[in-house]
Amino acid sequence: MRRLITTIWIFLTPSFAQVDYTLKSLDRIFVNAPHNPRLTNRVFQIRQDGFVDLPTVGHIRANGITLRAFEKTVANRSHQEISVRVMSVRSSQR
């Protein structure tokens, strides 16, 4: 139950409050790239090795950087406007 509450809180938090969140392995992120149908409105999970593979962008390290830094990296590599939100966070308890 605790994980579900955390997931809902993070997803419903406005994007300006999420930008300083530090991404972790197994977090799920929601990507929106209006000019790239292969990226827009898609959910991706950060793998255990800390990387995420995005179509047309490639293999990007996400673990340990802020959401804002990740968003900038993806935007620079894709040369287009992009937004990223945290969809769910890795549960620290099992």
Side-chain angles (χ1 to χ4, degrees), residues 15-73:
S15 60
F16 66 85
Q18 289 191 30
V19 293
D20 291 329
Y21 174 76
T22 300
L23 295 167
K24 299 181 293 291
S25 298
L26 304 180
D27 284 352
R28 292 174 42 148
I29 54 175
F30 178 82
V31 177
N32 185 26
H35 304 292
N36 185 338
R38 294 188 64 200
L39 278 180
T40 200
N41 298 325
R42 299 265 318 265
V43 176
F44 299 92
Q45 184 166 16
I46 301 169
R47 296 190 322 251
Q48 284 193 308
D49 66 0
F51 287 85
V52 63
D53 291 313
L54 301 176
T56 71
V57 179
H59 191 67
I60 299 177
R61 182 163 207 38
N63 186 48
I65 65 172
T66 65
L67 186 60
R68 179 180 298 168
F70 179 78
E71 198 172 61
K72 281 183 175 182
T73 300

Side-chain angles (χ1 to χ4, degrees), residues 1-14:
M1 184 67 170
R2 184 175 186 184
R3 182 177 178 176
L4 177 62
I5 293 169
T6 302
T7 300
I8 292 170
W9 183 83
I10 292 291
F11 185 67
L12 295 178
T13 301

